[in-house]
């Protein structure tokens, strides 16, 4: 099968969209960056998008909610920290990937799957899927921070401000922040831009899916059919 056809089956994207991913160097086949959609691949090949395994619909697909602890990375391999896949005592756990990553020191809700198309729907910027974080700050929140976040914050090294975000103040040093995108270290950078520092960060919700209050840190459970259909 051609690689661009495989990408279409996994991600539901067009051949031209597949070409964009290939030209950006985001697709690897057996550890080598693939540049051509005409490359022929088979079921033995390991095909990754940004280190996430791509599996075509019709194969055994898995969907999990993980309560991520500190100290684990959402990548499948890291020289300094264990991967979240090590928390899954399951056959072929190394084929799972996070549908939206958290930093190594951030806790909370992570969606884990081997379904590349579903993962793409969760993380696609077009979906503007909201994420809700509980944030503990080093300094009391300023009175005008909510208005600043609602207008959008221009982060360092960025040319466009963030999308409008909603801030709910719980205590002077604890807030709930809702964002609709997923820039690199976005929450920490937003508070740094207004002169504060994030001491602890916990993701509580992705879209309409809320972290199960009965799920201990470090544990996971399968998503229900209704939860899977939310994305």
């Amino acid at each position: 099968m051609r690689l661009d056809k495989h990408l279409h089956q996994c991600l539901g994207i067009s051949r031209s969209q597949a070409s964009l991913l290939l030209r950006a160097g985001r697709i690897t086949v057996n550890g080598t960056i693939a540049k051509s959609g005409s490359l022929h691949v088979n079921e033995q090949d390991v095909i990754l998008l940004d280190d996430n395994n791509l599996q075509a619909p019709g194969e055994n697909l898995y969907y999990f909610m993980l309560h991520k602890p500190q100290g684990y990375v959402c990548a499948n391999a890291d020289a300094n920290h264990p991967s979240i896949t090590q928390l899954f005592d399951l056959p072929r756990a190394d084929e799972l990937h996070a549908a939206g990553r958290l930093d190594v020191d951030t806790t909370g809700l992570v969606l884990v799957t081997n379904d590349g198309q579903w993962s793409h729907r969760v993380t696609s910027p077009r979906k503007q899927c909201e994420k809700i974080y509980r944030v503990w700050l080093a300094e009391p929140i300023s009175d005008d921070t909510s208005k600043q976040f609602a207008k959008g914050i221009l982060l360092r090294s960025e040319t466009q401000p963030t999308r409008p975000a909603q801030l709910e103040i719980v205590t002077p040093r604890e807030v709930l922040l809702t964002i609709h995108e997923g820039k690199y270290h976005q929450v920490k950078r937003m508070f740094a831009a207004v002169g504060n520092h994030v001491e602890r960060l916990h993701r509580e919700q992705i879209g309409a899916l809320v972290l199960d209050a009965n799920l201990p840190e470090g544990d996971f459970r399968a998503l229900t059919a209704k939860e899977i259909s939310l994305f």
Side-chain angles (χ1 to χ4, degrees):
M1 179 189 297
R2 285 173 56 108
L3 177 56
D4 51 11
K5 183 177 180 180
H6 180 79
L7 295 176
H8 165 72
Q9 290 183 350
C10 291
L11 300 174
I13 60 177
S14 66
R15 182 172 293 184
S16 61
Q17 289 172 319
S19 296
L20 291 175
L21 293 178
L22 290 163
R23 287 202 296 271
R26 298 176 62 189
I27 304 295
T28 62
V29 178
N30 301 325
T32 300
I33 294 175
K35 293 293 186 181
S36 174
S38 64
L39 177 69
H40 282 269
V41 296
N42 57 50
E43 60 184 13
Q44 280 75 45
D45 290 319
V46 178
I47 304 168
L48 306 179
L49 165 61
D50 298 337
D51 298 326
N52 295 329
N53 194 289
L54 296 181
Q55 192 164 11
E59 303 182 43
N60 291 327
L61 300 177
Y62 302 100
Y63 310 86
F64 299 106
M65 168 188 294
L66 170 69
H67 188 166
K68 178 189 173 297
Q70 287 188 346
Y72 286 80
V73 294
C74 290
N76 285 43
D78 186 88
N80 301 310
H81 301 283
S83 167
I84 58 168
T85 58
Q86 296 180 29
L87 297 169
F88 291 80
D89 186 16
L90 298 170
R92 303 173 71 175
D94 60 330
E95 296 181 359
L96 299 171
H97 66 268
R101 301 182 178 186
L102 289 180
D103 298 338
V104 64
D105 59 347
T106 302
T107 62
L109 176 60
V110 176
L111 301 179
V112 180
T113 185
N114 63 347
D115 184 345
Q117 186 169 343
W118 185 82
S119 176
H120 185 69
R121 292 199 298 271
V122 174
T123 59
S124 173
R126 295 182 187 177
K127 300 292 184 181
Q128 298 188 27
C129 181
E130 71 175 25
K131 276 82 68 175
I132 299 180
Y133 293 85
R134 189 170 294 271
V135 189
W136 289 266
L137 300 165
E139 303 294 336
I141 194 78
S142 300
D143 293 338
D144 62 344
T145 302
S146 295
K147 292 182 179 179
Q148 289 180 276
F149 282 12
K151 292 179 179 178
I153 298 290
L154 184 61
L155 305 177
R156 181 177 296 180
S157 302
E158 300 280 350
T159 58
Q160 297 292 328
T162 60
R163 293 193 178 109
Q166 293 74 51
L167 189 67
E168 177 185 340
I169 299 175
V170 180
T171 73
R173 287 189 172 88
E174 180 183 343
V175 300
L176 288 174
L177 176 66
T178 301
I179 62 175
H180 305 271
E181 55 196 329
K183 295 179 182 291
Y184 180 71
H185 290 174
Q186 180 172 339
V187 175
K188 295 175 181 177
R189 293 166 68 199
M190 287 177 71
F191 283 101
V194 295
N196 214 321
H197 174 74
V198 174
E199 292 194 329
R200 182 182 165 200
L201 187 58
H202 178 84
R203 185 160 65 190
E204 296 191 344
Q205 186 170 334
I206 301 173
L209 186 56
V210 180
L211 178 63
D212 192 330
N214 296 316
L215 190 64
E217 190 171 294
D219 281 3
F220 66 92
R221 69 161 175 82
L223 296 182
T224 66
K226 182 178 180 180
E227 289 171 336
I228 295 169
S229 69
L230 293 173
F231 301 96

PDB file of all heavy atoms in Angstrom, residues 43-67:
ATOM      1  N   GLU A  43       2.034  -4.021   6.834  1.00  0.00           N
ATOM      2  CA  GLU A  43       1.646  -4.095   8.236  1.00  0.00           C
ATOM      3  C   GLU A  43       2.822  -4.323   9.174  1.00  0.00           C
ATOM      4  O   GLU A  43       2.700  -4.110  10.375  1.00  0.00           O
ATOM      5  CB  GLU A  43       0.608  -5.194   8.432  1.00  0.00           C
ATOM      6  CG  GLU A  43       1.103  -6.587   8.039  1.00  0.00           C
ATOM      7  CD  GLU A  43       0.014  -7.632   8.165  1.00  0.00           C
ATOM      8  OE1 GLU A  43      -1.163  -7.254   8.321  1.00  0.00           O
ATOM      9  OE2 GLU A  43       0.348  -8.833   8.105  1.00  0.00           O
ATOM     10  N   GLN A  44       3.975  -4.730   8.635  1.00  0.00           N
ATOM     11  CA  GLN A  44       5.153  -4.908   9.488  1.00  0.00           C
ATOM     12  C   GLN A  44       5.905  -3.599   9.735  1.00  0.00           C
ATOM     13  O   GLN A  44       6.721  -3.503  10.645  1.00  0.00           O
ATOM     14  CB  GLN A  44       6.126  -5.927   8.860  1.00  0.00           C
ATOM     15  CG  GLN A  44       5.739  -7.380   9.075  1.00  0.00           C
ATOM     16  CD  GLN A  44       4.596  -7.803   8.195  1.00  0.00           C
ATOM     17  OE1 GLN A  44       4.599  -7.495   6.992  1.00  0.00           O
ATOM     18  NE2 GLN A  44       3.611  -8.476   8.759  1.00  0.00           N
ATOM     19  N   ASP A  45       5.626  -2.583   8.924  1.00  0.00           N
ATOM     20  CA  ASP A  45       6.331  -1.313   9.057  1.00  0.00           C
ATOM     21  C   ASP A  45       5.808  -0.531  10.256  1.00  0.00           C
ATOM     22  O   ASP A  45       4.608  -0.564  10.571  1.00  0.00           O
ATOM     23  CB  ASP A  45       6.155  -0.462   7.796  1.00  0.00           C
ATOM     24  CG  ASP A  45       6.900  -1.031   6.602  1.00  0.00           C
ATOM     25  OD1 ASP A  45       8.038  -1.487   6.789  1.00  0.00           O
ATOM     26  OD2 ASP A  45       6.318  -1.039   5.502  1.00  0.00           O
ATOM     27  N   VAL A  46       6.715   0.178  10.929  1.00  0.00           N
ATOM     28  CA  VAL A  46       6.349   1.048  12.046  1.00  0.00           C
ATOM     29  C   VAL A  46       6.247   2.469  11.496  1.00  0.00           C
ATOM     30  O   VAL A  46       7.259   3.084  11.139  1.00  0.00           O
ATOM     31  CB  VAL A  46       7.394   0.987  13.177  1.00  0.00           C
ATOM     32  CG1 VAL A  46       7.019   1.937  14.307  1.00  0.00           C
ATOM     33  CG2 VAL A  46       7.520  -0.439  13.703  1.00  0.00           C
ATOM     34  N   ILE A  47       5.021   2.981  11.428  1.00  0.00           N
ATOM     35  CA  ILE A  47       4.758   4.284  10.820  1.00  0.00           C
ATOM     36  C   ILE A  47       4.286   5.227  11.906  1.00  0.00           C
ATOM     37  O   ILE A  47       3.299   4.951  12.598  1.00  0.00           O
ATOM     38  CB  ILE A  47       3.702   4.157   9.708  1.00  0.00           C
ATOM     39  CG1 ILE A  47       4.163   3.129   8.665  1.00  0.00           C
ATOM     40  CG2 ILE A  47       3.447   5.513   9.048  1.00  0.00           C
ATOM     41  CD1 ILE A  47       3.086   2.728   7.690  1.00  0.00           C
ATOM     42  N   LEU A  48       5.006   6.344  12.074  1.00  0.00           N
ATOM     43  CA  LEU A  48       4.736   7.269  13.167  1.00  0.00           C
ATOM     44  C   LEU A  48       4.454   8.671  12.641  1.00  0.00           C
ATOM     45  O   LEU A  48       5.081   9.119  11.669  1.00  0.00           O
ATOM     46  CB  LEU A  48       5.919   7.346  14.137  1.00  0.00           C
ATOM     47  CG  LEU A  48       6.453   6.043  14.748  1.00  0.00           C
ATOM     48  CD1 LEU A  48       7.634   6.353  15.660  1.00  0.00           C
ATOM     49  CD2 LEU A  48       5.359   5.327  15.527  1.00  0.00           C
ATOM     50  N   LEU A  49       3.530   9.349  13.305  1.00  0.00           N
ATOM     51  CA  LEU A  49       3.295  10.784  13.111  1.00  0.00           C
ATOM     52  C   LEU A  49       3.684  11.476  14.407  1.00  0.00           C
ATOM     53  O   LEU A  49       3.048  11.265  15.438  1.00  0.00           O
ATOM     54  CB  LEU A  49       1.828  11.064  12.781  1.00  0.00           C
ATOM     55  CG  LEU A  49       1.360  12.520  12.899  1.00  0.00           C
ATOM     56  CD1 LEU A  49       2.134  13.410  11.932  1.00  0.00           C
ATOM     57  CD2 LEU A  49      -0.128  12.636  12.672  1.00  0.00           C
ATOM     58  N   ASP A  50       4.752  12.274  14.359  1.00  0.00           N
ATOM     59  CA  ASP A  50       5.230  12.953  15.582  1.00  0.00           C
ATOM     60  C   ASP A  50       5.398  11.959  16.726  1.00  0.00           C
ATOM     61  O   ASP A  50       4.940  12.188  17.851  1.00  0.00           O
ATOM     62  CB  ASP A  50       4.266  14.065  16.000  1.00  0.00           C
ATOM     63  CG  ASP A  50       4.146  15.155  14.956  1.00  0.00           C
ATOM     64  OD1 ASP A  50       5.078  15.298  14.154  1.00  0.00           O
ATOM     65  OD2 ASP A  50       3.112  15.841  14.946  1.00  0.00           O
ATOM     66  N   ASP A  51       5.997  10.796  16.448  1.00  0.00           N
ATOM     67  CA  ASP A  51       6.260   9.747  17.437  1.00  0.00           C
ATOM     68  C   ASP A  51       5.011   8.986  17.866  1.00  0.00           C
ATOM     69  O   ASP A  51       5.069   8.156  18.772  1.00  0.00           O
ATOM     70  CB  ASP A  51       6.953  10.306  18.689  1.00  0.00           C
ATOM     71  CG  ASP A  51       8.311  10.900  18.386  1.00  0.00           C
ATOM     72  OD1 ASP A  51       8.989  10.358  17.491  1.00  0.00           O
ATOM     73  OD2 ASP A  51       8.690  11.892  19.024  1.00  0.00           O
ATOM     74  N   ASN A  52       3.851   9.253  17.236  1.00  0.00           N
ATOM     75  CA  ASN A  52       2.617   8.537  17.550  1.00  0.00           C
ATOM     76  C   ASN A  52       2.357   7.471  16.500  1.00  0.00           C
ATOM     77  O   ASN A  52       2.356   7.751  15.298  1.00  0.00           O
ATOM     78  CB  ASN A  52       1.427   9.497  17.606  1.00  0.00           C
ATOM     79  CG  ASN A  52       1.551  10.486  18.740  1.00  0.00           C
ATOM     80  OD1 ASN A  52       2.136  10.181  19.772  1.00  0.00           O
ATOM     81  ND2 ASN A  52       1.010  11.681  18.555  1.00  0.00           N
ATOM     82  N   ASN A  53       2.132   6.242  16.949  1.00  0.00           N
ATOM     83  CA  ASN A  53       1.914   5.129  16.043  1.00  0.00           C
ATOM     84  C   ASN A  53       0.600   5.300  15.297  1.00  0.00           C
ATOM     85  O   ASN A  53      -0.429   5.639  15.879  1.00  0.00           O
ATOM     86  CB  ASN A  53       1.901   3.817  16.841  1.00  0.00           C
ATOM     87  CG  ASN A  53       2.021   2.605  15.939  1.00  0.00           C
ATOM     88  OD1 ASN A  53       1.099   2.271  15.226  1.00  0.00           O
ATOM     89  ND2 ASN A  53       3.163   1.940  15.996  1.00  0.00           N
ATOM     90  N   LEU A  54       0.625   5.083  13.980  1.00  0.00           N
ATOM     91  CA  LEU A  54      -0.571   5.182  13.156  1.00  0.00           C
ATOM     92  C   LEU A  54      -1.085   3.788  12.838  1.00  0.00           C
ATOM     93  O   LEU A  54      -0.357   2.957  12.287  1.00  0.00           O
ATOM     94  CB  LEU A  54      -0.265   5.926  11.855  1.00  0.00           C
ATOM     95  CG  LEU A  54       0.149   7.387  12.006  1.00  0.00           C
ATOM     96  CD1 LEU A  54       0.389   8.005  10.638  1.00  0.00           C
ATOM     97  CD2 LEU A  54      -0.914   8.184  12.761  1.00  0.00           C
ATOM     98  N   GLN A  55      -2.322   3.539  13.202  1.00  0.00           N
ATOM     99  CA  GLN A  55      -2.944   2.239  12.981  1.00  0.00           C
ATOM    100  C   GLN A  55      -4.239   2.440  12.216  1.00  0.00           C
ATOM    101  O   GLN A  55      -5.058   3.300  12.563  1.00  0.00           O
ATOM    102  CB  GLN A  55      -3.228   1.553  14.324  1.00  0.00           C
ATOM    103  CG  GLN A  55      -3.601   0.085  14.204  1.00  0.00           C
ATOM    104  CD  GLN A  55      -3.493  -0.617  15.541  1.00  0.00           C
ATOM    105  OE1 GLN A  55      -3.343   0.012  16.581  1.00  0.00           O
ATOM    106  NE2 GLN A  55      -3.555  -1.933  15.519  1.00  0.00           N
ATOM    107  N   ALA A  56      -4.423   1.680  11.170  1.00  0.00           N
ATOM    108  CA  ALA A  56      -5.583   1.862  10.315  1.00  0.00           C
ATOM    109  C   ALA A  56      -6.847   1.344  10.976  1.00  0.00           C
ATOM    110  O   ALA A  56      -6.803   0.403  11.758  1.00  0.00           O
ATOM    111  CB  ALA A  56      -5.364   1.139   8.983  1.00  0.00           C
ATOM    112  N   PRO A  57      -8.011   1.978  10.679  1.00  0.00           N
ATOM    113  CA  PRO A  57      -9.272   1.479  11.212  1.00  0.00           C
ATOM    114  C   PRO A  57      -9.497   0.024  10.812  1.00  0.00           C
ATOM    115  O   PRO A  57      -9.074  -0.420   9.756  1.00  0.00           O
ATOM    116  CB  PRO A  57     -10.317   2.395  10.564  1.00  0.00           C
ATOM    117  CG  PRO A  57      -9.559   3.627  10.206  1.00  0.00           C
ATOM    118  CD  PRO A  57      -8.167   3.179   9.857  1.00  0.00           C
ATOM    119  N   GLY A  58     -10.181  -0.723  11.666  1.00  0.00           N
ATOM    120  CA  GLY A  58     -10.435  -2.130  11.408  1.00  0.00           C
ATOM    121  C   GLY A  58      -9.529  -3.025  12.225  1.00  0.00           C
ATOM    122  O   GLY A  58      -9.819  -4.199  12.421  1.00  0.00           O
ATOM    123  N   GLU A  59      -8.397  -2.515  12.689  1.00  0.00           N
ATOM    124  CA  GLU A  59      -7.543  -3.280  13.564  1.00  0.00           C
ATOM    125  C   GLU A  59      -8.063  -3.127  14.991  1.00  0.00           C
ATOM    126  O   GLU A  59      -9.012  -2.400  15.249  1.00  0.00           O
ATOM    127  CB  GLU A  59      -6.099  -2.774  13.446  1.00  0.00           C
ATOM    128  CG  GLU A  59      -5.570  -2.842  12.006  1.00  0.00           C
ATOM    129  CD  GLU A  59      -4.132  -2.391  11.903  1.00  0.00           C
ATOM    130  OE1 GLU A  59      -3.331  -2.784  12.758  1.00  0.00           O
ATOM    131  OE2 GLU A  59      -3.828  -1.629  10.982  1.00  0.00           O
ATOM    132  N   ASN A  60      -7.451  -3.846  15.931  1.00  0.00           N
ATOM    133  CA  ASN A  60      -7.883  -3.744  17.323  1.00  0.00           C
ATOM    134  C   ASN A  60      -7.540  -2.359  17.847  1.00  0.00           C
ATOM    135  O   ASN A  60      -6.369  -2.018  17.986  1.00  0.00           O
ATOM    136  CB  ASN A  60      -7.201  -4.821  18.165  1.00  0.00           C
ATOM    137  CG  ASN A  60      -7.705  -6.208  17.817  1.00  0.00           C
ATOM    138  OD1 ASN A  60      -8.864  -6.375  17.468  1.00  0.00           O
ATOM    139  ND2 ASN A  60      -6.832  -7.197  17.909  1.00  0.00           N
ATOM    140  N   LEU A  61      -8.567  -1.576  18.137  1.00  0.00           N
ATOM    141  CA  LEU A  61      -8.377  -0.200  18.570  1.00  0.00           C
ATOM    142  C   LEU A  61      -8.706  -0.070  20.049  1.00  0.00           C
ATOM    143  O   LEU A  61      -9.669  -0.665  20.535  1.00  0.00           O
ATOM    144  CB  LEU A  61      -9.246   0.746  17.737  1.00  0.00           C
ATOM    145  CG  LEU A  61      -8.964   0.729  16.224  1.00  0.00           C
ATOM    146  CD1 LEU A  61      -9.938   1.637  15.502  1.00  0.00           C
ATOM    147  CD2 LEU A  61      -7.520   1.126  15.933  1.00  0.00           C
ATOM    148  N   TYR A  62      -7.918   0.746  20.742  1.00  0.00           N
ATOM    149  CA  TYR A  62      -8.062   0.897  22.184  1.00  0.00           C
ATOM    150  C   TYR A  62      -8.132   2.385  22.533  1.00  0.00           C
ATOM    151  O   TYR A  62      -7.464   3.214  21.921  1.00  0.00           O
ATOM    152  CB  TYR A  62      -6.875   0.251  22.919  1.00  0.00           C
ATOM    153  CG  TYR A  62      -6.717  -1.214  22.601  1.00  0.00           C
ATOM    154  CD1 TYR A  62      -5.776  -1.640  21.667  1.00  0.00           C
ATOM    155  CD2 TYR A  62      -7.505  -2.171  23.232  1.00  0.00           C
ATOM    156  CE1 TYR A  62      -5.627  -2.978  21.360  1.00  0.00           C
ATOM    157  CE2 TYR A  62      -7.365  -3.516  22.937  1.00  0.00           C
ATOM    158  CZ  TYR A  62      -6.418  -3.923  22.004  1.00  0.00           C
ATOM    159  OH  TYR A  62      -6.291  -5.253  21.701  1.00  0.00           O
ATOM    160  N   TYR A  63      -8.944   2.681  23.557  1.00  0.00           N
ATOM    161  CA  TYR A  63      -9.149   4.055  23.993  1.00  0.00           C
ATOM    162  C   TYR A  63      -9.168   4.061  25.526  1.00  0.00           C
ATOM    163  O   TYR A  63     -10.006   3.390  26.137  1.00  0.00           O
ATOM    164  CB  TYR A  63     -10.476   4.603  23.459  1.00  0.00           C
ATOM    165  CG  TYR A  63     -10.663   4.404  21.967  1.00  0.00           C
ATOM    166  CD1 TYR A  63     -11.198   3.219  21.471  1.00  0.00           C
ATOM    167  CD2 TYR A  63     -10.305   5.402  21.062  1.00  0.00           C
ATOM    168  CE1 TYR A  63     -11.371   3.028  20.113  1.00  0.00           C
ATOM    169  CE2 TYR A  63     -10.471   5.223  19.702  1.00  0.00           C
ATOM    170  CZ  TYR A  63     -11.004   4.032  19.226  1.00  0.00           C
ATOM    171  OH  TYR A  63     -11.170   3.850  17.873  1.00  0.00           O
ATOM    172  N   PHE A  64      -8.258   4.832  26.111  1.00  0.00           N
ATOM    173  CA  PHE A  64      -8.135   4.845  27.562  1.00  0.00           C
ATOM    174  C   PHE A  64      -8.103   6.273  28.091  1.00  0.00           C
ATOM    175  O   PHE A  64      -7.665   7.206  27.420  1.00  0.00           O
ATOM    176  CB  PHE A  64      -6.846   4.147  28.012  1.00  0.00           C
ATOM    177  CG  PHE A  64      -6.749   2.699  27.627  1.00  0.00           C
ATOM    178  CD1 PHE A  64      -5.906   2.305  26.602  1.00  0.00           C
ATOM    179  CD2 PHE A  64      -7.491   1.741  28.291  1.00  0.00           C
ATOM    180  CE1 PHE A  64      -5.802   0.971  26.243  1.00  0.00           C
ATOM    181  CE2 PHE A  64      -7.393   0.398  27.941  1.00  0.00           C
ATOM    182  CZ  PHE A  64      -6.543   0.013  26.913  1.00  0.00           C
ATOM    183  N   MET A  65      -8.551   6.404  29.337  1.00  0.00           N
ATOM    184  CA  MET A  65      -8.367   7.605  30.137  1.00  0.00           C
ATOM    185  C   MET A  65      -7.280   7.288  31.155  1.00  0.00           C
ATOM    186  O   MET A  65      -7.371   6.305  31.888  1.00  0.00           O
ATOM    187  CB  MET A  65      -9.670   7.966  30.855  1.00  0.00           C
ATOM    188  CG  MET A  65      -9.523   9.033  31.931  1.00  0.00           C
ATOM    189  SD  MET A  65     -11.052   9.237  32.897  1.00  0.00           S
ATOM    190  CE  MET A  65     -12.167   9.886  31.668  1.00  0.00           C
ATOM    191  N   LEU A  66      -6.242   8.121  31.202  1.00  0.00           N
ATOM    192  CA  LEU A  66      -5.149   7.954  32.156  1.00  0.00           C
ATOM    193  C   LEU A  66      -5.098   9.143  33.098  1.00  0.00           C
ATOM    194  O   LEU A  66      -5.211  10.284  32.655  1.00  0.00           O
ATOM    195  CB  LEU A  66      -3.811   7.836  31.413  1.00  0.00           C
ATOM    196  CG  LEU A  66      -2.538   7.884  32.276  1.00  0.00           C
ATOM    197  CD1 LEU A  66      -2.411   6.632  33.140  1.00  0.00           C
ATOM    198  CD2 LEU A  66      -1.290   8.070  31.395  1.00  0.00           C
ATOM    199  N   HIS A  67      -4.934   8.861  34.383  1.00  0.00           N
ATOM    200  CA  HIS A  67      -4.658   9.915  35.368  1.00  0.00           C
ATOM    201  C   HIS A  67      -3.142   9.982  35.496  1.00  0.00           C
ATOM    202  O   HIS A  67      -2.530   9.235  36.254  1.00  0.00           O
ATOM    203  CB  HIS A  67      -5.316   9.587  36.702  1.00  0.00           C
ATOM    204  CG  HIS A  67      -5.240  10.699  37.696  1.00  0.00           C
ATOM    205  ND1 HIS A  67      -6.000  10.736  38.838  1.00  0.00           N
ATOM    206  CD2 HIS A  67      -4.487  11.843  37.732  1.00  0.00           C
ATOM    207  CE1 HIS A  67      -5.718  11.820  39.533  1.00  0.00           C
ATOM    208  NE2 HIS A  67      -4.791  12.504  38.876  1.00  0.00           N
TER     209      HIS A  67
END
